[in-house]
Amino acid sequence: MARAVVAAAAALAAVLVSVLAPAATAQMDSCSGDLPFVLAANYSGLACQPVWNNFVLRYHQDKNNVLRVVLSTMYSTGWVGMGFSRDGLMIGSSAMVGWMGKKGLPHIRQFSLRSKSGSKAAVVDRGFLVSNNHDHTVVVQQAKIYVAFQLKFSYRLSHQHIILAFGPGVPVKNKLSKHQDKTSFTFDFTTGKGFADGPFPYGLRRAHGGLNLFAWGILMPIGAILARYFRRMDPLWFYLHVGIQFAAFIIGLAGVVAGVALYSKIEADIPAHRGLGIFILFLGILQVLAFFLRPNTDSKYRKYWNWYHHWSGRLVLFFAAVNIVLGIHVGGGHDSWKIGYGFNLAILLVAVIGLEFMLWTRWSKNSASTPTY
């Protein structure tokens, strides 16, 4: 009986060894193999880390913040790319992409990833990565591709959003085919540890964009139109103007809160969009204060209040429109967002032009001086 137990245990151990040993060996071989000879001069002494499927990342960052990278994986044809993202998203990132051409010549180029589809989805020789093209090379050896490049950063790279992807088609005229698979993660270049990126807060991004577009891009222009062109409907125009603008400010403030929460999650590098948003919020607060600081119509300060209220309002409308367009762009909004806001903007502009023409026509007929609003 004891002999049977021992034999069964030995057989189980043999099975486990036969199953686990190849996986462990593959894991070791992925970093234990030597680099191709042509890479030894410029890419020796690199740290090595398996990162995804058959992808292996070799890297070293020197005291001058120059990052040397060799990305390797199994290869037969197509392209292999490594992207650097500021916020974990593909759109807005820059990628180094390597492949072997149909004539057996190596290619490695930087691409700016600007959209998910279309002819301008990946634009060659554009991006924010600083490199010396003479230090890049691609080698295929023993059914593996090695994409080697060097990048110069203005700071020491630590936790960096990385995107890895590969596609089956050989690029023609530097046009990348659709990727077959991809992944994203955060890699710590100081410790060599990778961290899976959490799910992107798409709902929060939609809330931020939708609330702000509705408040600053629709309601506030309507409120301003009522104040300028419908004053003959006194005092209805005033109550509608105040009510709509207050509602727009509250909804816009909710959109700003959603934006702050979104930034705390993704830490996107979008200084222009953030800076304009803060400036617009400041102007919006000035507009709210204008209601409470409004002097009587016969006050000697009334004309200064008019100037302050009207010009801060015009600045709000102008910069809000600019920031909405910028936000749709940096947020990678689909065409529906662009078409929808463009249609809304066109309707508002046509309405303003028509109403302005009617207003000036009425003033000319009445031979009255142009009132100051």
Side-chain angles (χ1 to χ4, degrees):
M1 183 68 179
R3 289 181 179 180
V5 173
V6 171
L12 179 60
V15 170
L16 290 174
V17 169
S18 66
V19 172
L20 298 178
T25 302
Q27 183 77 356
M28 292 176 60
D29 289 344
S30 63
C31 278
S32 61
D34 293 332
L35 288 174
F37 177 76
V38 295
L39 299 178
N42 293 327
Y43 293 94
S44 60
L46 305 184
C48 182
Q49 182 66 43
V51 285
W52 175 59
N53 290 346
N54 295 314
F55 280 74
V56 175
L57 179 62
R58 292 176 171 87
Y59 63 94
H60 179 264
Q61 187 174 196
D62 65 20
K63 62 181 180 179
N64 296 318
N65 300 326
V66 174
L67 179 69
R68 293 183 295 155
V69 172
V70 177
L71 181 69
S72 61
T73 187
M74 303 304 295
Y75 183 80
S76 57
T77 186
W79 58 267
V80 174
M82 178 175 177
F84 292 75
S85 174
R86 291 171 170 145
D87 53 17
L89 298 179
M90 182 192 75
I91 297 175
S93 64
S94 295
M96 301 299 297
V97 181
W99 67 92
M100 273 293 176
K102 294 182 178 179
K103 296 182 179 180
L105 297 177
H107 299 266
I108 180 168
R109 306 292 284 271
Q110 180 178 178
F111 287 82
S112 174
L113 308 181
R114 299 182 177 180
S115 66
K116 294 183 179 179
S117 60
S119 59
K120 297 297 184 180
V123 181
V124 69
D125 295 333
R126 293 290 186 271
F128 57 77
L129 299 175
V130 179
S131 64
N132 184 347
N133 293 330
H134 299 294
D135 296 327
H136 306 337
T137 188
V138 175
V139 178
V140 174
Q141 180 176 293
Q142 297 179 349
K144 283 187 177 182
I145 187 172
Y146 297 83
V147 181
F149 54 89
Q150 298 187 29
L151 303 174
K152 170 69 175 175
F153 291 89
S154 59
Y155 54 91
R156 186 156 187 82
L157 216 58
S158 55
H159 289 74
Q160 172 64 46
H161 296 291
I162 298 295
I163 300 171
L164 298 179
F166 64 91
V170 175
V172 178
K173 295 183 179 180
N174 298 316
K175 299 293 184 181
L176 298 182
S177 60
K178 182 178 176 59
H179 60 262
Q180 180 176 326
D181 200 2
K182 69 178 181 70
T183 189
S184 63
F185 56 92
T186 301
F187 190 79
D188 189 344
F189 282 94
T190 59
T191 64
K193 294 181 179 180
F195 309 91
D197 285 339
F200 186 83
Y202 291 102
L204 197 57
R205 184 178 67 177
R206 283 192 296 269
H208 170 64
L211 289 171
N212 283 321
L213 191 152
F214 181 63
W216 306 97
I218 297 178
L219 285 183
M220 280 204 174
I222 291 175
I225 287 172
L226 287 171
R228 179 163 178 82
Y229 303 111
F230 294 90
R231 283 179 173 256
R232 290 193 299 177
M233 300 170 57
D234 195 43
L236 180 60
W237 74 266
F238 177 76
Y239 296 119
L240 287 175
H241 171 68
V242 172
I244 289 175
Q245 300 303 65
F246 265 111
F249 180 77
I250 296 301
I251 295 172
L253 188 60
V256 171
V257 172
V260 172
L262 180 63
Y263 178 77
S264 67
K265 287 181 177 294
I266 66 175
E267 295 184 359
D269 186 16
I270 45 174
H273 183 60
R274 288 183 64 218
L276 277 176
I278 294 171
F279 180 60
I280 292 165
L281 179 62
F282 170 73
L283 291 176
I285 293 172
L286 288 182
Q287 289 293 80
V288 173
L289 292 176
F291 174 77
F292 297 102
L293 300 176
R294 185 168 59 106
N296 295 327
T297 54
D298 57 352
S299 171
K300 64 179 181 180
Y301 300 108
R302 181 70 180 210
K303 64 178 182 179
Y304 302 109
W305 180 90
N306 285 338
W307 183 89
Y308 142 67
H309 178 52
H310 300 145
W311 278 105
S312 62
R314 289 162 185 158
L315 289 174
V316 165
L317 297 178
F318 174 76
F319 284 110
V322 172
N323 211 28
I324 288 171
V325 173
L326 182 60
I328 292 173
H329 174 70
V330 300
H334 295 294
D335 290 340
S336 59
W337 285 81
K338 301 173 184 177
I339 294 172
Y341 183 64
F343 186 69
N344 166 76
L345 202 57
I347 290 177
L348 290 173
L349 288 175
V350 170
V352 166
I353 292 172
L355 290 169
E356 189 72 18
F357 176 77
M358 293 170 60
L359 185 64
W360 280 91
T361 301
R362 187 169 67 249
W363 286 342
S364 62
K365 287 182 178 180
N366 295 336
S367 299
S369 59
T370 303
T372 303
Y373 293 135

